[in-house]
Amino acid sequence: MHKSLGNVVAPEEVIGKYGADVLRLWVCASDYSQDVRLGPEILKRIADAYFRFRNTLRFALGNLFDFEPDRNAVPYERLTELERFMLHRLAELVDKVTEAYEEFDYPSVFQTLQRFCAIDLSAFYFDVLKDRLYCESADDLRRRGAQTVLWEFAKALCVMLFPVISHTAEEAWQHLPQWQGKPESVALSDWLKPPSFWRDEKLAERWSQLLRVREEVNRALEVAKTERRVVNPLEAKVTLLTDGALADFLKDFTVSLSEIFIVSQVAIQTDSVAPNALPAEGFPNLRICVTLAPGEKCARCWQRQESVGKDKDYPNLCQRCAKVLRLLLHSLS
């Protein structure tokens, strides 16, 4: 930029249009070992990244509205393996971000946090959580466990983002639920030191393979949508046709596969032939069949379940949702 050419972008203009944190984020994302560039398209991309961070924090905070850490936090040993896997991923994230800060590699800080929020959280964990956060009873152990991990993520993101988007991180910190010993400001918080028991390499390997299966299922669901066999993947039944070690591996998960794949039902079959079964690209002995799940659509969770219509008080709800609603009404009476 040169004043004589009149192509200078004044900081005041950026702050006026996007806010100070977007300008700070641009500084962090810029590779200072090369010529640093700034322009409308670059600022638009940075603003998009900023809103990714902000929306990640907003999702976590929005689902902690009834969570009191000192009373509701679930101990690690009672968390589902999905939550324990995500805590392992959080510990890995802290390691990478800490190393990048120590080496003054701010573009890596930006890229690592952006990738994690977009892929690990938004595209996976947050999507999987929505059913239990919105449909289970308030004090359900799995829901409280999910809130416990969301709380850990929100705290950690505030600390890791504070050097970059200070105003947003502080704003989010002030809206976190109170807990004993909570610093008055994120600026007064110590740097992150995840507990050693969060790290579980064997669990991470299991879930890495399951996520590869999930990618294959998502591909099959997209094909089924294109062929109009299902409209909404949430209403689908996924049949995994496999045998041997892979079948045993899938049956070993304690977390419901329908929850991980975000469908109504999942079946694992070892000796059946199904029409429209799609061969998996990454697993030679896996084929995936997608059909409309049997039963009717629940008006509350939107899943198709055969239990819909069997509850005389709530004929348009599945068994799970009818039970939750009954508990809710009982607590209010």
Side-chain angles (χ1 to χ4, degrees):
M1 297 181 187
H2 300 277
K3 282 187 177 181
S4 59
L5 295 177
N7 64 347
V8 174
V9 178
E12 292 83 0
E13 294 178 16
V14 180
I15 293 172
K17 184 174 182 179
Y18 294 105
D21 275 354
V22 171
L23 182 62
R24 295 174 63 95
L25 192 59
W26 165 74
V27 173
C28 178
S30 299
D31 184 357
Y32 55 79
S33 66
Q34 302 178 13
D35 289 341
V36 177
R37 303 180 185 279
L38 178 62
E41 286 301 315
I42 294 174
L43 282 172
K44 185 178 182 304
R45 290 198 299 270
I46 295 296
D48 289 343
Y50 166 77
F51 280 108
R52 171 73 69 185
F53 292 135
R54 188 175 183 88
N55 289 337
T56 299
L57 289 168
R58 186 173 67 174
F59 179 90
L61 293 173
N63 283 286
L64 294 173
F65 72 97
D66 64 340
F67 182 74
E68 299 177 26
D70 294 329
R71 189 168 69 93
N72 302 130
V74 178
Y76 178 84
E77 60 274 10
R78 299 190 68 193
L79 295 174
T80 72
E81 58 179 306
L82 170 60
E83 272 62 53
R84 288 186 275 119
F85 168 63
M86 292 308 298
L87 289 178
H88 172 88
R89 294 289 294 127
L90 177 56
E92 290 183 327
L93 176 69
V94 171
D95 289 344
K96 292 178 183 178
V97 171
T98 301
E99 182 180 1
Y101 270 129
E102 289 176 344
E103 295 179 356
F104 304 100
D105 187 358
Y106 305 120
S108 287
V109 171
F110 167 76
Q111 293 162 10
T112 301
L113 288 171
Q114 183 189 37
R115 191 182 306 114
F116 192 88
C117 288
I119 298 174
D120 292 71
L121 295 183
S122 181
F124 170 57
Y125 189 54
F126 287 176
D127 255 5
V128 169
L129 286 192
K130 288 175 183 176
D131 180 75
R132 71 169 80 167
L133 288 173
Y134 303 157
C135 298
E136 296 291 355
S137 59
D139 287 322
D140 179 81
L141 181 63
R142 297 188 317 127
R143 181 174 182 271
R144 291 302 190 196
Q147 287 181 309
T148 301
V149 174
L150 285 179
W151 172 58
E152 295 287 2
F153 270 112
K155 287 191 299 177
L157 286 173
C158 285
V159 172
M160 288 186 285
L161 287 169
F162 180 69
V164 184
I165 49 175
S166 307
H167 305 87
T168 302
E170 181 63 28
E171 179 186 4
W173 185 268
Q174 295 304 325
H175 285 85
L176 280 170
Q178 292 294 322
W179 69 89
Q180 187 175 7
K182 178 185 178 183
E184 184 179 350
S185 166
V186 65
L188 300 175
S189 177
D190 292 333
W191 190 251
L192 304 166
K193 293 181 180 179
S196 59
F197 57 80
W198 282 9
R199 304 175 195 277
D200 190 334
E201 295 295 340
K202 289 185 178 179
L203 182 68
E205 289 176 10
R206 272 169 52 81
W207 276 83
S208 294
Q209 183 170 354
L210 181 60
L211 292 181
R212 287 173 52 216
V213 175
R214 186 176 186 266
E215 290 177 2
E216 301 285 358
V217 170
N218 287 342
R219 187 170 65 89
L221 287 168
E222 287 301 318
V223 171
K225 283 175 60 180
T226 302
E227 296 177 353
R228 300 300 180 99
R229 281 183 275 128
V230 295
V231 176
N232 184 346
L234 185 60
E235 300 178 52
K237 176 182 179 180
V238 170
T239 302
L240 302 173
L241 303 169
T242 187
D243 55 17
L246 183 58
D248 294 338
F249 168 78
L250 294 170
K251 292 176 181 177
D252 189 46
F253 277 87
T254 55
V255 176
S256 171
L257 294 180
S258 61
E259 182 180 31
I260 302 303
F261 300 155
I262 316 179
V263 295
S264 289
Q265 300 171 34
V266 173
I268 301 171
Q269 298 182 4
T270 58
D271 57 357
S272 299
V273 177
N276 301 315
L278 186 72
E281 294 179 352
F283 296 88
N285 64 330
L286 173 63
R287 291 177 301 122
I288 303 168
C289 179
V290 177
T291 57
L292 193 65
E296 298 297 326
K297 181 178 177 180
C298 174
R300 185 169 179 270
C301 68
W302 292 10
Q303 295 182 18
R304 293 180 67 89
Q305 299 292 342
E306 294 180 277
S307 60
V308 175
K310 295 185 178 180
D311 191 295
K312 59 183 179 61
D313 296 323
Y314 306 106
N316 61 338
L317 300 184
C318 66
Q319 185 179 26
R320 186 268 303 260
C321 288
K323 179 181 178 181
V324 171
L325 192 58
R326 196 170 277 113
L327 286 173
L328 175 63
L329 294 177
H330 178 74
S331 67
L332 294 176
S333 61

